Amino acid sequence: MPTSFTVVPVEGQEPQPSRPLEDPNQQLAECSSGEPGDGIPKESSPFINSAEMDRGNIYEGKNMALFEEEMDSNPMVSSLLNKLANYTNLTQGVVEHEADEDSKRKEIKAPRMGTFIGVYLPCLQNILGVILFLRLTWIVGTSGVLESFIIVFMCCACTMLTAISMSAIATNGVVPAGGSYYMISRSLGPEFGGAVGLCFYLGTTFAGAMYILGTIEILLTYISPSAAIFKAEDADGETEAMLNNMRVYGTCIVALMAIVVFVGVKYVNKLALVFLSCVILSIFAIYAGVIKTAFDPPDFPICLLGNRTLSRRNFDICAKFIEVNNETVTTKLWSLFCDSRSLNATCDEYFNLNNVTEIQGIPGIASGVLIDNLWSAYTDKGSIIEKKGHPSVTGTEEIKVGGLPYVFTDIMTYFTMLVGIYFPSVTGIMAGSNRSGDLRDAQKSIPTGTILAISTTSFIYLSCIVLFGACIEGVILRDKFGEAVNGNLVIGTLAWPSPWVIVIGSFFSTCGAGLQSLTGAPRLLQAIARDGIIPFLQVFGHGKANGEPTWALLLTACICEIGILIASLDSVAPILSMFFLMCYMFVNLACAVQTLLCTPNWRPRFKYYHWALSFLGMSLCFALMFICSWYYALIAMLIAGCIYKYIEYRGAEKEWGDGIRGLSLNAARYALLRVEHGPPHTKNWRPQVLVLLNLDSEQVVKHPRLLSFTSQLKAGKGLTIVGSVLQGIYLDKYIEAQKAEENIKSLMGVEKTKGFCQIVVSPSFRDGMSHLIQSAGLGGMTHNTVLMAWPQSWKQTDNPFSWKNFVDTVRETTAAQQALLVAKNIDLFPTNQERFSEGNVDVWWIVHDGGMLMLLPFLLRQHKVWRKCKMRIFTVAQMDDNSIQMKKDLQMFLYHLRLNAEVEVVEMIW
């Protein structure tokens, strides 16, 4: 093989080559005052401005700025102060989504909204929504007041802790459109930001689907049941018919809403006040109804057969028979349980054994029904809703109850499932931070408005739980669709002055929430796409001429359609719970990381935060994810993990000064301090290589195969430092040094050499090599091996310094007690793409070196290029040596080293 390693023995010290002369073109600078110079050269310094100096013009009229790297130029003091007054800790790339790549920026109108209008009311509108109107009474009836209180308290505590962390991040600079995505990406880096940003986008999109499903449920169940397209022939097919109606109507509404958003967002914004008014009016109607029940409860009778609740959809009189003109006549209820209307008809056994009674569905706050509703009543799917403690006689035989007018449960209920259904009702806390650009004082309004909104909604939810349990009968609370109260919305039966206040109010509020989701989600996706961190999403960064995200809206509508096809609000709610919980978890993580790192840039105006609160919020979010649905949680984490790895592998390089980079620096510092400064233990020893490269006049690497060989030898393990020397003065050569570093890093990427690059500019080549050998590395992470190519021109008489530099490098490496690898004919070495199907790696072991030469072939054979090669060890026997015994000893030595190799002993003949 053409490859070989040559160890050059060194005896004595060679004289050092003379230092090259200074640049003859360098001139002395005279004083700029017009007086004759004194002959003393004037120092070229950035603190002394002179027009006559060769490099003086570079610094003239400019200032040393703390944030100089973030500015296009170095301004004078007045313009510097103007820029710092508008300074944001969000570095370049934050506003890229609002500007054209040609840096054409539109003038932004002066912000004018305060805390109440800009933050408090939007958060209130986003938090109070479909779950409150359609599912909260059912949750209270199913889990009981106590467990419902725990569910709501956990979810509200989660959002409150997240709001505290979000307030700290939001007041540490300006948060543009994108809200939580920008908070996370600029705090935890593009990988986390992109992954969680897309999860938040999916959560917002599925939230739109949930609101649309809620709108259709209100329409078809409580407003106009006759509008259903699919009709059920029997009771067993009602659920499937309802789901099909949801799919058809949902698809139409998604298409209609997408058209409205496409035509213009201004129409959506004009309706926002109407939707907000509906929410607030509905809340007041609920509290007014509760107060009214104290002295005048509404009349909503419930019909019970024994302790079983009956659906009032198919009969009007709650009795088996009635007296008409002194004659006993059976009712319609009788015909539902019996085979004829006659008194001698054959009836259902349970119907014969139990009486029909009528109780008030809303007995009022002073009735004491709260005691009965304290405890949970979880059931299986298809169970009959029964009143606890009511007299009931069970028949001797199991009779099929399907088709009878009972109120059945549509799904199996348990505590964790209710958590997943309820959690979407506390989302929406990011509404204020998303509007930071429109606020008069965002750093004051966002914390105040968001925390006040969460406090208000938490009070509303917690008080509603107690009031519902104290005012409404338990069987009505567990009746999800109000079948026992003539198909009325359960929460509407409590409202004053009419149930229609809640029905109409909830209908318009869910419509508005769906429109807002379809408006906000495409803009979030557009912001992620325009950041350029996910290459395949870049097409969604484009839109209409006015910036409307057309393609992003189309994708959002398609994903929303997936949620519509699921068709069940109870099935969609846990999905978006996962995505929102993941987003909130990383907001808490971002605040905790920034707080613990104590970076100088972390100076939030909101002071009422602590890393322990952020970790508590993060832990609570993580726990709630698995409480809601462990398999949904795993799927959501898998999606986020795949996006994270994709961005890490293919995403654009972004430097946002994120906390993960700061955390890495702190971890690296901690690890370096713990690494002992000195030779490691033999078990941990591996070559930590300093690769010395030669560059041509264009700063291009002469022997790129040296890096190929390095990657094959190291396989990404251990320390690799790639160094080179430029001859000259640094002030003259710093541009060439930067170019050389870029070329070497580019070549390292091509050759997949993982390591660090270090360029030294020195007046002499020999001194530069010496500096590299002495000072490369940091602390305990220093090299122990030097790898270089055999000098090509060492025999040429016109280059007397070549062989001297080489010999001096060998001697200095020896003095530093480091191993030296010299690759001869390096340009003939294999590339990383080549594969040897056979061959031998020969080691001539002449001098005992501790096993270094034995280790090199072993390391090479770990790489794909050399994997199929065999290892051969050659040693030399003198005339008086026993060659057979030497071979046995060497084989035993290799056995102890756990190396597989052929051993050959070469006998010398004199």
Side-chain angles (χ1 to χ4, degrees), residues 609-621:
Y609 69 94
H610 194 270
W611 65 266
L613 291 177
S614 299
F615 267 114
L616 179 61
M618 182 183 68
S619 304
L620 188 56
C621 290

Side-chain angles (χ1 to χ4, degrees), residues 166-474:
M166 182 196 72
S167 299
I169 298 174
T171 57
N172 194 48
V174 178
V175 180
S180 60
Y181 161 66
Y182 279 98
M183 288 187 213
I184 296 171
S185 62
R186 270 58 178 182
S187 298
L188 294 180
E191 293 87 2
F192 279 107
V196 181
L198 278 183
C199 286
F200 188 58
Y201 161 75
L202 292 174
T204 307
T205 305
F206 276 101
M210 183 189 72
Y211 293 131
I212 293 172
L213 291 174
T215 302
I216 303 166
E217 183 176 314
I218 295 171
L219 175 66
L220 297 181
T221 307
Y222 308 113
I223 297 179
S224 179
S226 60
I229 299 174
F230 298 92
K231 306 287 186 180
E233 296 180 357
D234 52 13
D236 296 334
E238 288 183 358
T239 302
E240 189 62 33
M242 185 64 179
L243 293 179
N244 290 330
N245 286 320
M246 289 276 197
R247 294 183 179 104
V248 174
Y249 276 93
T251 302
C252 297
I253 293 179
V254 165
L256 181 62
M257 287 186 174
I259 292 173
V260 172
V261 174
F262 176 78
V263 170
V265 185
K266 58 182 180 180
Y267 302 108
V268 180
N269 294 333
K270 286 180 180 179
L271 293 173
L273 186 59
V274 176
F275 301 142
L276 177 62
S277 302
C278 292
V279 174
I280 295 176
L281 184 62
S282 300
I283 298 298
F284 280 119
I286 293 171
Y287 282 107
V290 169
I291 296 172
K292 182 177 178 294
T293 61
F295 52 87
D296 185 18
D299 183 27
F300 280 101
I302 308 170
C303 190
L304 298 177
L305 176 62
N307 65 348
R308 297 178 179 179
T309 311
L310 296 177
S311 172
R312 297 294 289 264
R313 293 183 183 272
N314 299 318
F315 66 92
D316 51 356
I317 300 175
C318 183
K320 294 183 179 180
F321 37 78
I322 57 175
E323 294 287 336
V324 177
N325 296 327
N326 296 325
E327 183 180 353
T328 303
V329 180
T330 58
T331 63
K332 191 173 183 180
L333 178 62
W334 179 280
S335 63
L336 294 175
F337 283 91
C338 303
D339 56 3
S340 70
R341 297 294 294 266
S342 67
L343 294 174
N344 297 325
T346 303
C347 299
D348 178 74
E349 183 181 9
Y350 188 84
F351 183 76
N352 290 328
L353 295 175
N354 292 274
N355 295 324
V356 176
T357 56
E358 197 171 53
I359 62 174
Q360 278 299 324
I362 303 181
I365 196 170
S367 64
V369 73
L370 177 63
I371 303 300
D372 298 331
N373 293 329
L374 282 178
W375 312 109
S376 61
Y378 299 119
T379 56
D380 293 328
K381 180 179 180 180
S383 301
I384 301 173
I385 296 178
E386 300 176 345
K387 178 173 172 55
K388 300 175 183 177
H390 207 70
S392 173
V393 179
T394 306
T396 57
E397 297 180 3
E398 289 293 333
I399 304 298
K400 184 179 180 181
V401 297
L404 298 178
Y406 295 121
V407 179
F408 297 97
T409 56
D410 61 332
I411 57 174
M412 185 175 68
T413 54
Y414 44 92
F415 178 82
T416 57
M417 185 267 289
L418 296 181
V419 175
I421 292 177
Y422 173 76
F423 186 82
S425 65
V426 297
T427 59
I429 63 175
M430 301 289 184
S433 62
N434 292 344
R435 302 184 180 202
S436 61
D438 299 326
L439 300 175
R440 187 180 302 115
D441 186 0
Q443 297 191 354
K444 177 182 177 183
S445 297
I446 289 177
T448 306
T450 304
I451 292 176
L452 278 179
I454 293 176
S455 302
T456 304
T457 53
S458 299
F459 171 77
I460 291 173
Y461 281 126
L462 292 172
S463 62
C464 281
I465 286 174
V466 178
L467 295 176
F468 292 163
C471 296
I472 305 176
E473 183 61 52

Side-chain angles (χ1 to χ4, degrees), residues 521-747:
R523 279 156 181 76
L524 176 59
L525 180 62
Q526 186 183 46
I528 298 172
R530 289 190 173 181
D531 259 347
I533 59 175
I534 306 178
F536 71 85
L537 287 181
Q538 290 183 357
V539 64
F540 299 106
H542 306 293
K544 294 193 293 186
N546 60 354
E548 292 297 318
T550 308
W551 293 106
L553 175 61
L554 183 62
L555 179 65
T556 302
C558 293
I559 297 176
C560 189
E561 178 64 19
I562 296 175
I564 296 298
L565 294 178
I566 296 174
S568 172
L569 189 148
D570 300 323
S571 300
V572 173
I575 297 176
L576 63 101
S577 294
M578 292 302 109
F579 293 124
F580 278 118
L581 279 168
M582 182 171 293
C583 175
Y584 296 165
M585 180 175 70
F586 279 97
V587 168
N588 285 294
L589 176 63
C591 180
V593 168
Q594 296 281 19
T595 305
L596 291 175
L597 287 178
C598 299
T599 54
N601 190 45
W602 179 247
R603 303 184 302 274
R605 291 189 178 276
F606 181 76
K607 301 298 182 183
Y608 305 102
Y609 69 94
H610 194 270
W611 65 266
L613 291 177
S614 299
F615 267 114
L616 179 61
M618 182 183 68
S619 304
L620 188 56
C621 290
F622 186 78
L624 283 174
M625 286 179 65
F626 283 88
I627 287 174
C628 294
S629 175
W630 64 269
Y631 47 89
Y632 279 158
L634 292 177
I635 292 173
M637 294 174 69
L638 179 63
I639 293 173
C642 292
I643 298 171
Y644 177 94
K645 296 305 292 183
Y646 177 81
I647 297 174
E648 188 180 49
Y649 179 67
R650 293 291 302 274
E653 291 292 333
K654 294 287 183 179
E655 177 52 59
W656 290 328
D658 52 85
I660 292 297
R661 181 174 175 81
L663 191 64
S664 301
L665 290 174
N666 270 17
R669 171 185 168 274
Y670 176 78
L672 282 173
L673 291 175
R674 288 185 60 87
V675 173
E676 295 182 3
H677 187 73
H681 192 273
T682 306
K683 293 180 180 178
N684 299 325
W685 193 95
R686 67 163 55 243
Q688 314 288 6
V689 181
L690 169 63
V691 185
L692 299 179
L693 296 178
N694 291 327
L695 305 176
D696 59 16
S697 59
E698 299 296 327
Q699 318 309 328
V700 178
V701 178
K702 288 184 178 180
H703 306 293
R705 296 288 179 90
L706 203 58
L707 289 180
S708 303
F709 178 70
T710 304
S711 62
Q712 296 163 19
L713 183 65
K714 299 291 291 180
K717 305 296 190 301
L719 175 68
T720 300
I721 303 173
V722 181
S724 186
V725 177
L726 294 182
Q727 192 167 349
I729 304 299
Y730 182 71
L731 289 178
D732 297 327
K733 295 284 188 177
Y734 69 94
I735 296 179
E736 288 87 342
Q738 292 177 356
K739 182 180 178 181
E741 186 173 0
E742 292 175 359
N743 292 338
I744 292 177
K745 286 184 176 180
S746 175
L747 183 61

